[in-house]
Amino acid sequence: MAERVQQPPAKRLCCRPGYSTTCRQGQRAGGTVCGGSGSGQGGSSKTQSPESLLDIAARKVAEKWPFQRVEERFERIPEPVQRRIVYWSFPRSEREICMYSSFNTGGEESASSGESVDETRLPFRRGIALLESGCVDNVLQVGFHLSGTVTEPATPSEPEMVCSVAISFDRCKITSVTCGCGNKDIFYCAHVVALSLYRVRRPEQVKLHLPISETLFQMNRDQLQKFVQYLITVHHTEVLPTAQKLADEILSQNSEINQVHGAPDPTAGASVDDENCWHLDEEQVQEQVKLFLSQGGYHGSGKQLNLLFSKVREMLKMRDSNGARMLTLITEQFMADPRLALWRQQGTTMTDKYRQLWDELGALWMCIVLNPHCKTEQKAAWLRQLKKWNSVDVCPLEDGNHGNELPNLTNALPQGAHGNQDSGTRPHRTVFTRAIEACDLHWQDSHLQHIINDDLYTNYCYHDNTENSLFDSRGWPLWHEHVPTACARVDALRSHGYPREALRLAIAIVNTLRRQQQKQLELFRNHKKDLLHKGVTSITNLEGWVGHPLDPIGTLFSTLMETGRGDEDSSQGGFLDFSASTMSSSKHSELHLFPSTRRFLEEGESYLALAVETALMGLGQQRIMPDGLYAQEKVCRNEEHLIAKLQEVDLDDTLVKIFRKQAVFLLEGGPYSGLGELIYRESVPMHTFAKYLFTCLLPHDAELAYKIALRAMRLPVLESTAPSGDMSRPHHIVSVVPNRYPRWFTLSHIESQQCELASTMLTAAKGDARRLETVLESIQKNIHSSSHIFKLAQDAFKIATLMDSLPDITLLKVSLELGLQVMRMTLSTLNWRRREMVRWLVTCATEVGVYALDSIMQSWFTLFTPTEATSIVATTVMSNSTIVRLHLDCHQQENLASSARTLALQCAMKDPQNCALSALTLCEKDHIAFETAYQIVLDAATTGMSYTQLFTIARYMEHRGYPMRAYKLATLAMAHLNLSYNQDTHPAINDVLWACALSHSLGKNELAAIIPLVVKSVKCATVLSDILRRCTLTTPGMVALHSRRNSGKLMSLDKAPLRQLLDATIGAYINTTHSRLTHISPRHYSEFIEFLSKARETFLMAHDGHIQFTQFIDNLKQIYKGKKKLMMLVRERFG
């Protein structure tokens, strides 16, 4: 059973004092279908009669007048007239119903957001499906109230559901809806859609009654009593308490109900005081926005909020007052977001996506306050609300967290009410500041009215050639205003459904920009010599047009492009009459491409061409880099977005001419152009824009393309000396004091774009030696990042050595030259990619040829560290793979090897610690060089080399067959070594054992010479005992290098040199024992007993060792008698 729905409250009180009850007796309150006589709508016949005068008049009254005013205007309204007014009062267009029942109309928003939305799930589509499947029933229209039931078919998971739907309407707008489905959403549910569309599409099937109060007036007393009693009987469980309460109040003489004239009627239409607007569930708007904000950008909440903003724009375009109402609700929730206070308290920045939502919020308010047909009191109310939000501490600032202190530029025009504020008292600009400033703007300027209303507005006799002239030399109108503000007017016109007027103003603005550009060029040419001599420049705009919060260039571009494509909806758009409080909205059947507006285009020019030229002018404007991370990121983002739009346009001959024209303007434009000869140090770089221009112009005018790209390569903010601001320039040029350490948060991105531009030029210049040389010079002059130069070197190398063609030797040389620059830049700095860079450079030099390899080895000290030069460069050059790759003959091989050996010896002299071994290796095949390297090692051994390095070289010498030299180096290494008693796991132990083994193998004399060094350097008892044991196993010199055995006796432990080693070992055990006993713990007792056992083995190697060990144990017992448990263990083991 369908859930009953509470009817919406009555809007006004109805009574008919002029009607007597006697004249109504016996009449029945009959009903007729909506499409009754005189309808002219819904007939089944293909031939339709002309509309009756009654219907024409009734339709106009139904659209504009509240029904109460009709009743007050006429004492008696004939019933047929009432019926036609009631009939025509229901909306006749499905467009608004669609707008209020889905996020997107026709999928525009979903397409722009990149999401695939299931159209069938949208309430509007589902409503159509319900209507077409016959799910709408019991449709009844009583006055201005429509009701019916909609059956939701059963699904596998849900049973069939019958929903009771009630709709109130007034002046062709649905003013309230209720549905039994309990829908909780911003938009109308599918059941409301189905019932609404039933009434729109099938009006002839809807039974229409006059308002219920009219029907009641036709009844006599008996009929009224019967009516009430039947009503109570049918719904007694629900209405009986209410009925009794009302009866009691009516019978009471002093009750409030008897003090009021008439009675409420929910079907009687609107009162004079009612606002005429479509139903919008304010509570649901607030709840949904609050929910989306609480999700913090997750679950697609950011996209949902953007769709809500799109819905506001859609409402504005339909000239629906709910647009401002809905934006107010959204803004209140944004201002109430608890994260604002938290971020302010913590000093953290909001996320980029959230920041963009605030930007859109500010832009929408700018559109709303610039609504050309809003009333003064309405604008005043908006201004109060905006100022209230603006005064809140947590209100976000316009450029992120920085707080730009620009003057009031929105009103920097003659019609501004207040002019510029004093800079000392300016507050930070919030996201609402521009909208607040825009409240001072108006549309009453006569010149402005003519521009937007008249396609024929020209003045061919106008000869005022001043800067602010109203017409150009062709007689076409100009509009001089702060460019972002003027473009905000265009956006407002488009947003409020006036595309033709927006187009006219956009064309006037673009023609003004063109004229200004020409004037600026002439001005600079007149002062060029003086400016270039002084080497100074200036910024012409405090605010850049690209990256501006109001996106002026994007607005002009979109307006012109949409017109060029015929995208604007021709059903909207009437001429504006700003002289009156209201504006006409007469519709025009021919709006496509607005042909009459073409009179303000050049011969053969199109809106598309004008849009492209506008974008080029905006992108090429010299503008200062704004403060703050977000503002700087926005500059980059907007520039890339606009270029992406331009890249969608196919270039024809006309557009190529425009590109050439603008390229010349930009190159010669002086301080007004970002590509002028001199630019301000902190101007926004032109790399991204120049790359696009270069790509477009290259096939048509290569010389101009390279001029643009090479001019754009500069990055003066990184230069130590840069042009300063010129404070004396006329014509509203704003000079900016340079900051010595500018905070460019996007510098890494900018440098990468600079690198991309250079790479694009290198690729294009392949095969052209002159161009490559020019590009190389530009890179070396302007790029300051070693990593980016290295990337360019790699790019050039790849392009030069493509598999499908012969290597381009000129480009290879460029690659090598860039690589050499990288080597010089990173030689004295830490760079984690340094080894990769060095290896790559050798590879590149190999591709260039043997002379390049020889050159880098000759000048190695300016490019490499000694370690890199020997371990990477020389080693790679000497490898077989390099010789094979270069196809070298014997003479060339020897020359290259000679250079490598010279390099190795130089490196060994400079850094013997790290290069000596590599030098010896590289010099093996040249006796003189090898001896020189060995002598370098000997010279450095006593001063700068560590025992580890010396042991490593000594082992190398033994491996190469120089045992005596190895022995010599080993003795030098031992002099640097010091092993304490507890270092029994030291990494040098193996080297010590190897050195002793080497000495032992060479003979008694060598062993006798090294043992004193061992005794001096090694204090670790276990190491000394291990050496001692090894020396007693064989006769010194017994095993020669060639494994020949010779006879001889074992060395005596009672004589030198082993006696000295034995005594040192016993002494080390004694010292170690006392050291260990000082801090020994019970858990180490067993380990200590084992240590004493090893000590006894060494003691016993002496002829009186038994006595010495016994005395040693007795001393321990006496000295450490306090350690009873330990001494007990000692007695048990050793007596």
Side-chain angles (χ1 to χ4, degrees), residues 1006-1023:
E1006 286 77 10
L1007 182 62
I1010 204 169
I1011 281 178
L1013 296 175
V1014 172
V1015 169
K1016 182 179 179 182
S1017 302
V1018 180
K1019 306 302 180 185
C1020 182
T1022 53
V1023 175

Side-chain angles (χ1 to χ4, degrees), residues 57-65 84-86 88-89 92 170-172:
R59 188 171 71 246
K60 290 299 181 183
V61 168
E63 288 175 356
K64 300 295 182 184
W65 284 25
R84 301 319 295 159
I85 292 175
V86 168
W88 288 111
S89 290
R92 296 183 291 280
D170 169 44
R171 284 168 275 178
C172 300

Side-chain angles (χ1 to χ4, degrees), residues 141 210 217 260 278 369 412 468 532 552 581 595 713-714 774 825 831 838 954 977 1010 1012 1066 1113:
Q141 181 176 339
L210 293 177
F217 279 126
V260 179
W278 285 77
V369 300
N468 294 316
L532 293 179
S581 59
M713 275 292 290
R714 59 199 170 182
T774 307
M825 290 174 72
N831 192 305
V838 173
L977 182 65
I1010 204 169
I1066 291 172
I1113 294 297

